[in-house]
Amino acid sequence: MTISTSDTPITHDRPLHHPLKPDDQLCLLHIPKTAGSTLTSIVDANFHIDDIFPDNVIGKYSPEELERYRFFRSHYDHQVQRFFKKPPYFITILRDPIDRAISLYEFWKRARLRDQPDDKPLSDLLKEATLGGLEAFTCYDDPQVRARTCNRQVRQLAIGVGGLGPDPSADFSDEELLAMAKKNLDDHLFVGLTERFQDSVFLMNYIFGWYPIANYQSLRVASKRSRKEDIPQDTIDVVASVNQLDIALYEYGCERFQRDYTQMVRELQENYGLPTPEEGDRLITDTATPEERIDFLLPALERHYERCYAEHPPQEPVSVYDFNCLQPLYGSGWHRRNGKNNGVIIKDRPFRWTGPGTVSTMDLPLQSEENLTLRVDILNAIAPDVLDSLQIRVNGHELRLVPLEKTSIDAVLYGVIRPEWLKGDRPFTRIEFIVNRTASLNEVDPTNRDTRLVGLAIHRVHIFPTRETLSKDRLPHFTFPEDDVFWREVAEFLAQHLRDNERLAARYEFIAKFSKQLALSSEPFHSIPELNWVVVYKGEYQNIHAESFEWTLKTLKPVFANTVFVVFSNRSDVPTISRWSSHVLSLMQSVWGDRLDQMGLISTDTQDAITGRIKGLLKFLGIGA
């Protein structure tokens, strides 16, 4: 069946630029294999993590529960609006249906070849469907599979594809489905195209007044992808024949995108004099190269962003700002937050990797008539030379960085910002984090499948009035994670036993609890007088110098342990705990495993198997609790 595409797109009476209000809700309808994960990471940066809906299922929440969130993103269909008190604003991105079908097939083919266990029946069906090749996959008999391989974009935008139940689109004719999808698409604030992804990102940035992102790395993209020219034409024809609705919708979406893109270019010319008329014509007629398109548009979009920032400031100017990666990030050169569900469910301390480029920026509404201290907490570096190369500039002025705590791959650094540096024409202060290079985690560790180009994993950027010289004995702005039960348990144990004249080697966060006794764990332990206590953070024990760690194991004994920490002491009056207890053993397992691995004597899987058997034996004997 051939679907007509002659319908004239519905025109909008609303302006293209649409800054979101505090009570507006935005919903990204992520159509699979359209670069939605990359788009999600870009949009996420503009919202506090508490404002992002953390689940993939909306229907089990009441409208009142949904009111607390501002951004929703998943494989939703347009009908999710029925769960809201008022319809959210929708955005989406479309892809050429043939390319999307090929990408979907390759995705599930790779999943089948990896042979990883999956408890989802639909996943097993999709893997099985790839056995016969692309044509058989697209035309697979099972209706649940066909709902995802044939006209998925129309189905999702019109009525949905259903879960494991019946396909809701089966109750409508092709013409009805296409008409519904077009109408719903007309209601979207933004419609992008995967094939013009950078242009789409710029258009989205313009519509919402966000920072214009031109430096990002595509996520969940296979290193080897099938291309149309590598596939027989008769197979392409079959895929096209069962995706006629999607082809019609895609052409409709292309018309909508070009209209919006042209309007954006003309408005930028009118408001900022950029791009020039000649450049604007080249952009609209698509004769400019991808590099030229960025060069022509980025200066104008930067000015548009600055105007929107001034007209709708995220907050009033401040002299204290504590950025811990949970807040919105106005800037570029950052990867998404760590954590599950695209970085919205965080189990450990939040952080963002810098990258894929070597410059990462952050725009903050700073204002002060006195010196400010900037402290940055770096949890990891892709390599020691990258950490050593770090430069921080504030409105172009370079900070002199002083280490409070530093190993080869993590650090706590601070520098002083002078008040005159904060003055300028922009409505914000721009902070730049500059490193010498980026690399992928896969390059460092071939078993790590993460191919993103990264530099530093930054957990926190804290800015506050200096007023007094920072020292190891007085760091009033270093906070202790009171909401973490494992940290609290250690602090409570130490408070019961630690004496005023004793020294404690631990992470800098303990300064808030034990400022008189704390010695930073970056110092050589054997040279610290009266060092009676060492607190080892199990996940980062490698950051303690090897000689200091050996000194701890030989000189001190474990006196307290939980899932995260082991506390060592030389106090004879404090009861010891067994080195075979599960919490201590987990630390020693990591230590032994690293040493055996470095020596090439035993694999990680074998280590885990041996450790599991040891733990089982100890539990049986009653000595491994």
Side-chain angles (χ1 to χ4, degrees):
M1 174 181 176
T2 301
I3 302 297
S4 171
T5 62
S6 60
D7 297 350
T8 301
I10 300 173
T11 58
H12 295 277
D13 55 3
R14 59 173 177 255
L16 189 60
H17 178 49
H18 187 103
L20 295 174
K21 300 182 180 65
D23 61 343
D24 284 342
Q25 293 177 297
L26 188 68
C27 185
L28 167 61
L29 301 187
H30 177 185
I31 300 170
K33 312 315 295 177
T34 60
S37 295
T38 306
L39 190 70
T40 292
S41 69
I42 293 172
V43 180
D44 270 13
N46 296 279
F47 293 90
H48 193 289
I49 193 170
D50 292 340
D51 291 332
I52 302 174
F53 184 61
D55 204 342
N56 293 324
V57 181
I58 288 182
K60 64 183 181 182
Y61 296 85
S62 69
E64 290 72 25
E65 290 173 313
L66 296 178
E67 272 191 313
R68 61 171 291 193
Y69 301 106
R70 295 191 61 217
F71 181 45
F72 301 78
R73 74 287 200 279
S74 190
H75 299 306
Y76 305 131
D77 60 74
H78 197 276
Q79 300 306 310
V80 295
Q81 63 182 319
R82 68 188 184 277
F83 297 114
F84 294 83
K85 282 191 172 181
K86 63 175 184 178
Y89 291 107
F90 287 103
I91 61 175
T92 197
I93 185 165
L94 303 176
R95 185 175 186 179
D96 176 275
I98 308 302
D99 287 331
R100 199 199 79 84
I102 295 170
S103 179
L104 186 69
Y105 165 72
E106 291 291 340
F107 174 85
W108 287 109
K109 178 181 176 181
R110 290 192 303 272
R112 174 175 58 80
L113 294 175
R114 284 197 301 267
D115 195 29
Q116 293 178 337
D118 195 327
D119 59 356
K120 298 178 180 178
L122 182 56
S123 298
D124 292 335
L125 272 175
L126 287 161
K127 292 176 189 176
E128 178 184 310
T130 65
L131 288 168
L134 173 60
E135 181 177 329
F137 173 77
T138 308
C139 303
Y140 200 69
D141 288 337
D142 189 281
Q144 293 181 7
V145 173
R146 285 182 68 90
R148 288 154 178 82
T149 61
C150 301
N151 298 315
R152 168 64 184 261
Q153 298 181 86
V154 164
R155 296 177 199 270
Q156 189 166 334
L157 286 168
I159 194 67
V161 296
L164 295 178
D167 175 11
S169 64
D171 296 331
F172 298 89
S173 69
D174 286 350
E175 288 77 8
E176 288 173 324
L177 286 174
L178 182 58
M180 292 165 62
K182 287 181 176 181
K183 180 181 183 301
N184 291 337
L185 200 66
D186 287 328
D187 291 335
H188 279 48
L189 280 181
F190 160 75
V191 177
L193 302 175
T194 305
E195 289 73 20
R196 295 182 62 179
F197 191 79
Q198 179 62 75
D199 291 341
S200 298
V201 171
F202 275 170
L203 176 60
M204 181 182 68
N205 296 153
Y206 177 78
I207 290 172
F208 297 114
W210 293 339
Y211 191 100
I213 300 298
N215 190 11
Y216 58 86
Q217 187 162 354
S218 298
L219 303 176
R220 298 186 181 178
V221 176
S223 57
K224 295 181 180 179
R225 292 174 291 175
S226 293
R227 301 185 183 277
K228 287 181 183 178
E229 56 266 27
D230 301 325
I231 298 172
Q233 186 59 47
D234 57 348
T235 300
I236 296 294
D237 292 342
V238 171
V239 174
S241 69
V242 295
N243 278 283
Q244 285 295 301
L245 295 176
D246 270 9
I247 291 172
L249 181 69
Y250 180 73
E251 293 178 0
Y252 186 81
C254 287
E255 295 175 12
R256 155 75 185 268
F257 178 83
Q258 187 59 41
R259 184 182 71 247
D260 289 351
Y261 185 80
T262 299
Q263 183 177 343
M264 174 188 71
V265 171
R266 295 309 185 202
E267 289 180 1
L268 288 173
Q269 289 176 310
E270 180 180 347
N271 294 326
Y272 308 104
L274 296 169
T276 66
E278 180 184 9
E279 293 168 347
D281 290 342
R282 292 187 64 191
L283 290 171
I284 292 170
T285 56
D286 201 25
T287 57
T289 66
E291 294 75 17
E292 287 176 327
R293 299 172 80 81
I294 293 176
D295 292 341
F296 293 164
L297 282 178
L298 193 56
L301 289 169
E302 280 264 15
R303 292 176 60 180
H304 178 68
Y305 159 72
E306 291 175 14
R307 174 187 287 185
C308 294
Y309 194 106
E311 294 175 351
H312 307 281
Q315 65 181 84
E316 294 298 317
V318 295
S319 60
V320 176
Y321 197 91
D322 192 357
F323 177 83
N324 61 3
C325 292
L326 300 182
Q327 305 96 321
L329 198 164
Y330 306 105
S332 68
W334 302 88
H335 290 286
R336 67 188 182 196
R337 302 176 182 95
N338 64 302
K340 296 181 178 180
N341 198 7
N342 284 322
V344 75
I345 300 176
I346 297 175
K347 299 294 186 182
D348 204 345
R349 284 183 295 174
F351 66 85
R352 284 183 181 271
W353 281 107
T354 63
T358 57
V359 180
S360 303
T361 66
M362 178 184 297
D363 296 338
L364 301 177
L366 297 179
Q367 187 177 82
S368 178
E369 298 301 324
E370 59 178 318
N371 284 348
L372 301 178
T373 292
L374 181 150
R375 190 197 85 198
V376 57
D377 295 24
I378 302 168
L379 301 185
N380 199 0
I382 194 64
D385 68 287
V386 176
L387 177 58
D388 292 338
S389 73
L390 175 64
Q391 298 178 10
I392 299 179
R393 294 177 184 169
V394 177
N395 283 342
H397 301 274
E398 185 172 347
L399 263 67
R400 186 176 72 86
L401 296 174
V402 178
L404 285 171
E405 184 171 312
K406 189 173 185 291
T407 71
S408 61
I409 58 171
D410 72 348
V412 180
L413 311 172
Y414 78 91
V416 176
I417 302 172
R418 297 180 181 178
E420 58 266 27
W421 295 357
L422 305 181
K423 304 184 187 304
D425 297 332
R426 290 170 168 163
F428 49 75
T429 294
R430 176 159 293 174
I431 302 173
E432 297 174 289
F433 301 84
I434 306 167
V435 295
N436 62 333
R437 66 186 180 94
T438 56
S440 74
L441 295 167
N442 177 258
E443 290 178 53
V444 177
D445 176 11
T447 64
N448 192 322
R449 295 170 56 193
D450 193 338
T451 59
R452 292 177 301 164
L453 297 175
V454 301
L456 303 175
I458 293 182
H459 160 60
R460 190 180 186 199
V461 179
H462 192 187
I463 299 172
F464 50 88
T466 304
R467 294 185 187 146
E468 57 190 42
T469 302
L470 287 175
S471 70
K472 287 180 290 185
D473 296 324
R474 188 169 179 79
L475 297 174
H477 294 278
F478 280 42
T479 59
F480 185 83
E482 296 284 358
D483 57 343
D484 191 307
V485 62
F486 302 115
W487 289 71
R488 286 204 316 270
E489 287 177 351
V490 174
E492 291 167 1
F493 175 83
L494 291 171
Q496 295 175 12
H497 299 285
L498 188 61
R499 296 170 181 167
D500 287 345
N501 63 338
E502 294 179 328
R503 300 296 298 282
L504 162 72
R507 284 188 58 87
Y508 60 87
E509 287 94 341
F510 284 91
I511 197 75
K513 298 286 186 179
F514 310 103
S515 59
K516 294 180 180 179
Q517 298 102 327
L518 188 73
L520 296 181
S521 58
S522 58
E523 298 182 40
F525 290 173
H526 68 274
S527 66
I528 302 175
E530 304 300 325
L531 181 61
N532 303 88
W533 301 82
V534 172
V535 177
V536 177
Y537 187 93
K538 287 192 280 186
E540 300 177 1
Y541 75 91
Q542 306 98 324
N543 294 340
I544 299 176
H545 192 276
E547 292 182 3
S548 293
F549 194 75
E550 289 291 338
W551 180 91
T552 299
L553 296 180
K554 292 179 180 178
T555 310
L556 309 181
K557 58 191 179 182
V559 294
F560 178 86
N562 61 21
T563 302
V564 177
F565 294 98
V566 178
V567 180
F568 294 86
S569 178
N570 62 3
R571 285 263 301 276
S572 60
D573 60 322
V574 179
T576 63
I577 59 175
S578 171
R579 290 180 183 266
W580 295 101
S581 66
S582 60
H583 290 315
V584 179
L585 184 61
S586 63
L587 170 64
M588 300 313 300
Q589 174 196 358
S590 300
V591 176
W592 297 332
D594 282 353
R595 292 176 180 175
L596 291 171
D597 184 59
Q598 291 170 3
M599 297 168 64
L601 296 178
I602 192 169
S603 69
T604 302
D605 290 342
T606 305
Q607 294 170 28
D608 293 341
I610 293 174
T611 302
R613 293 183 180 182
I614 291 174
K615 288 182 177 179
L617 177 60
L618 293 173
K619 184 176 181 181
F620 176 76
L621 297 174
I623 59 176

